[in-house]
Amino acid sequence: MKKSDITTKGLERATHRALYYSMGFIKEDLEKPLIGIVNSQNETMPGHRHLDLIANAVKEGVIAAGGTPIEFPTIGICDGIAQGNYGMHYPLASRELIADSVECMMNGHSYDAMVMVTDCDKITPGMLIAASRLDVPTIIISGGVMATGCMDGEKVGYTDLMEASGLVQRGIKSNEWLDNLEQRALPGCGACNLLGTANSMNFLTEALGMCLPGATAPAMSGRKLALAKRTGMQIMDLYKKGITAKQIITAEAVHNALVVDMAIGGSSNTMLHLAAICNEAGIPFSFDEVEKIAAETPHLVKLKPAGIHYPADFDNAGGVTGLMARLKDYGYLKDNMTVTGKTVFENIANAAVLDDEVIKTKETAYSLTGGLKILYGNLAKEGAVCKKAGVEKSMLKHRGPARVFDQEEPAVKAIYGGEIKPGDVVVIRYEGPKGGPGMREMLTPTSAIIGMGLGESVALITDGRFSGATRGAAIGHVSPEAAEGGLIAFVKDGDMIDIDIEGGVVTLDVPEEEIEKRKIGWEPHKPPVKPGSYLDRYSKLVSSAMAGAVFKR
């Protein structure tokens, strides 16, 4: 008996069948497994604008393999459009809504399996959380990688845009140049052309074994549509074999995802999302293990903004599949079941790296340790995260006076206003999961620091988070956050802060007696939310960033 028989079989289900018939389904459709097609298509962002094409190809594959596809939507917020304004309170918070909405639709209609058509920063993690929670046969298919832009014969992309405002502000570039760049940097649909969270999570989905090999396939390509059709066919094979999401998302799969994450120097947001996925799947997630994998894994791929290559270059070099083949040869990966019905090692048996400049060897690696770093110290007793891959060597160690801001907006104004000087440590607090609420990305202030020519002399510390587009000495996820009474709440202008990224330490150099005096009468900054709103409820339920910013159980 298939799960959907609950809604389609028996005398007492006449009204249920009639509801399907009213939509054009026929009796034969209801005899087949009902496959939920979760499609986050919308017109708010390039990663989603084209997802109907991919969803249609998935449905063709399901039908060809003997299933009945039934499509339904979920929400998706564009981090880029929400960036630097009040809207950025919502993307991370939306991750839980996405997972909840998929749960509601799948369980409410008793579908037998699902294909999740997704892309972008919080949508793909939300889908993976839902897959772990529901534990039915599931395959993810992403919208694919955006093409690289071109202006004046040079490759350009999202990173160039983010740092362009500072160049105009300083008079180095003109407004006309900026207008031209805006028109050319993002040439079409797909996950933005850098190693942001969107592409990081798409690549890690393949490393987890939750999508068919080919996560780097270009968005607007026949290869992506063919992959979508294969995905629709393959979900029927998983259904017949009874292979569910939690048989794939295992401790071994998470190990592989962390290895790939370190090898590509992925977005620091991956630490939030992998912790959340593990929380849902019942898999222990230890930052000690993260540190161990980071210490052992060489950094082999450096995409924008950390390097000169774009995601399309990575695809041409062999993509995640080729990288994993190399990592397997070096002995870093574990074998595990995947959605192909085969193991990781079977999937990559014939894969190869096609360009050693894009996917380095161990001998030519950018670093013999991974691209992400976990830091501790009195400023981050529960931990903090830094994308080490995007930090200039001169800033791996830094000591400087704090410039403190409660939330992002005054910090950005101060940076563009020339108030931040070389050597400073910008501290932005009350941006954590609870205090923000929603843990806004600090991409605008970090891009301002780079654009104002301070990337090699100014560090930034926050209880907020960063976009994968961020580069520079940026330390985020500081826990406990300011709203929870973490030490970051008691930093004052001029306090000296020591940062040792390689050593994994961030320290506030202020005597303990002085800190205790500052705590007297302290009250947290009041979050800018309406009582009873989703953000208000979110702030009351959400856990620490280092716990994945999940809802407390």
Side-chain angles (χ1 to χ4, degrees):
M1 176 179 172
K2 56 188 192 301
K3 185 179 179 182
S4 59
D5 286 349
I6 295 170
T7 63
T8 61
K9 291 288 197 302
L11 287 173
E12 69 279 16
R13 298 297 185 244
T15 55
H16 301 62
R17 291 188 293 272
L19 288 167
Y20 277 112
Y21 298 153
S22 73
M23 295 183 284
F25 290 91
I26 60 177
K27 286 184 178 182
E28 289 82 353
D29 291 330
L30 303 187
E31 293 295 323
K32 301 170 184 176
L34 304 186
I35 310 301
I37 310 298
V38 190
N39 184 4
S40 56
Q41 191 275 338
N42 59 56
E43 296 182 355
T44 68
M45 59 187 121
H48 285 64
R49 184 68 176 84
H50 64 306
L51 292 188
D52 277 354
L53 293 172
I54 293 172
N56 285 337
V58 170
K59 288 188 282 186
E60 290 174 10
V62 170
I63 293 167
T68 297
I70 302 177
E71 183 180 341
F72 62 85
T74 188
I75 64 168
I77 297 175
C78 179
D79 281 53
I81 292 173
Q83 192 66 243
N85 59 67
Y86 188 82
M88 186 43 79
H89 290 290
Y90 285 93
L92 181 60
S94 76
R95 185 188 70 182
E96 312 314 307
L97 284 176
I98 290 162
D100 290 349
S101 69
V102 175
E103 175 196 344
C104 290
M105 293 296 287
M106 286 295 295
N107 285 343
H109 295 99
S110 302
Y111 298 139
D112 298 298
M114 61 181 172
V115 174
M116 311 181 99
V117 184
T118 177
D119 224 350
C120 298
D121 299 52
K122 309 307 169 297
I123 299 88
T124 299
M127 298 276 201
L128 285 163
I129 290 169
S132 301
R133 182 182 303 169
L134 292 163
D135 195 28
V136 298
T138 304
I139 307 181
I140 308 281
I141 173 80
S142 77
V145 170
M146 181 188 288
T148 308
C150 182
M151 187 172 85
D152 300 329
E154 299 289 334
K155 291 180 178 181
V156 291
Y158 194 91
T159 302
D160 305 285
L161 275 173
M162 285 308 305
E163 296 170 7
S165 299
L167 298 177
V168 174
Q169 180 79 12
R170 293 157 63 197
I172 296 173
K173 294 289 186 179
S174 68
N175 283 309
E176 291 75 21
W177 171 85
L178 178 59
D179 182 66
N180 195 23
L181 181 62
E182 290 171 13
Q183 301 291 332
R184 295 175 179 274
L186 307 178
C189 293
C192 290
N193 47 22
L194 78 162
L195 190 60
T197 309
N199 279 316
S200 293
M201 287 308 304
N202 287 343
F203 300 165
L204 296 196
T205 299
E206 180 172 338
L208 284 167
M210 283 298 292
C211 69
L212 299 186
T216 54
M220 304 301 288
S221 67
R223 182 151 60 96
K224 174 56 73 175
L225 291 178
L227 196 65
K229 191 176 291 187
R230 289 283 180 197
T231 296
M233 297 170 71
Q234 182 58 26
I235 193 62
M236 296 307 300
D237 186 59
L238 288 193
Y239 168 74
K240 290 167 188 172
K241 292 177 177 176
I243 299 174
T244 64
K246 284 175 71 172
Q247 293 173 45
I248 294 166
I249 302 175
T250 63
E252 291 76 17
V254 173
H255 170 91
N256 289 345
L258 286 169
V259 168
V260 169
D261 202 7
M262 297 305 163
I264 62 175
S267 164
S268 56
N269 283 323
T270 59
M271 293 297 99
L272 280 172
H273 301 318
L274 287 174
I277 292 162
C278 286
N279 176 74
E280 201 65 57
I283 300 167
F285 188 83
S286 161
F287 279 99
D288 289 341
E289 182 66 15
V290 172
E291 277 287 271
K292 181 173 179 289
I293 292 171
E296 296 172 349
T297 306
H299 183 196
L300 304 180
V301 177
K302 216 173 196 184
L303 304 182
K304 287 281 188 172
I308 61 172
H309 302 297
Y310 290 83
D313 300 322
F314 184 36
D315 179 57
N316 291 333
V320 176
T321 318
L323 171 64
M324 290 182 74
R326 175 157 285 175
L327 291 168
K328 185 247 181 186
D329 289 344
Y330 291 149
Y332 293 117
L333 297 184
K334 297 184 178 182
D335 211 7
N336 192 59
M337 178 57 65
T338 73
V339 294
T340 64
K342 300 176 181 178
T343 69
V344 172
F345 290 178
E346 289 174 313
N347 288 344
I348 62 179
N350 298 316
V353 172
L354 305 176
D355 187 340
D356 287 338
E357 283 302 307
V358 178
I359 304 175
K360 299 283 190 180
T361 65
K362 201 171 179 180
E363 292 71 30
T364 61
Y366 295 102
S367 167
L368 292 178
T369 57
L372 292 177
K373 186 69 179 178
I374 309 300
L375 295 92
Y376 295 94
N378 66 352
L379 253 182
K381 287 186 177 179
E382 294 175 8
V385 180
C386 178
K387 185 173 177 176
K388 188 182 74 173
V391 182
E392 295 289 342
K393 287 185 178 180
S394 61
M395 290 297 291
L396 290 172
K397 278 193 175 184
H398 183 75
R399 177 178 169 87
R403 293 297 314 280
V404 184
F405 303 92
D406 291 347
Q407 302 208 291
E408 171 187 13
E409 288 80 359
V412 173
K413 184 177 179 181
I415 296 165
Y416 280 131
E419 298 174 30
I420 304 303
K421 306 301 180 186
D424 286 349
V425 178
V426 175
V427 176
I428 304 178
R429 62 191 178 196
Y430 295 107
E431 290 287 6
K434 180 182 289 292
M439 204 179 180
R440 290 194 292 177
E441 284 184 349
M442 298 295 105
L443 177 56
T444 301
T446 53
S447 297
I449 287 170
I450 299 294
M452 294 298 285
L454 299 170
E456 295 184 31
S457 60
V458 169
L460 189 148
I461 295 174
T462 180
D463 53 8
R465 59 192 177 87
F466 297 110
S467 164
T470 291
R471 65 186 177 101
I475 297 168
H477 303 206
V478 168
S479 299
E481 62 175 287
E484 295 274 35
L487 186 57
I488 192 171
F490 305 103
V491 182
K492 288 187 175 182
D493 277 347
D495 288 349
M496 295 304 292
I497 294 177
D498 283 304
I499 298 168
D500 180 358
I501 293 172
E502 289 282 16
V505 180
V506 54
T507 305
L508 177 67
D509 189 8
V510 173
E512 188 63 35
E513 309 83 66
E514 172 61 21
I515 297 297
E516 292 304 314
K517 288 180 185 176
R518 295 179 188 182
K519 288 181 179 181
I520 297 170
W522 170 81
E523 290 185 7
H525 179 86
K526 189 176 180 181
V529 298
K530 184 178 179 180
S533 66
Y534 175 62
L535 284 178
D536 184 38
R537 284 177 279 137
Y538 178 86
S539 69
K540 292 176 171 64
L541 291 171
V542 71
S543 66
S544 157
M546 298 304 281
V550 296
F551 284 169
K552 295 169 185 172
R553 293 178 182 265

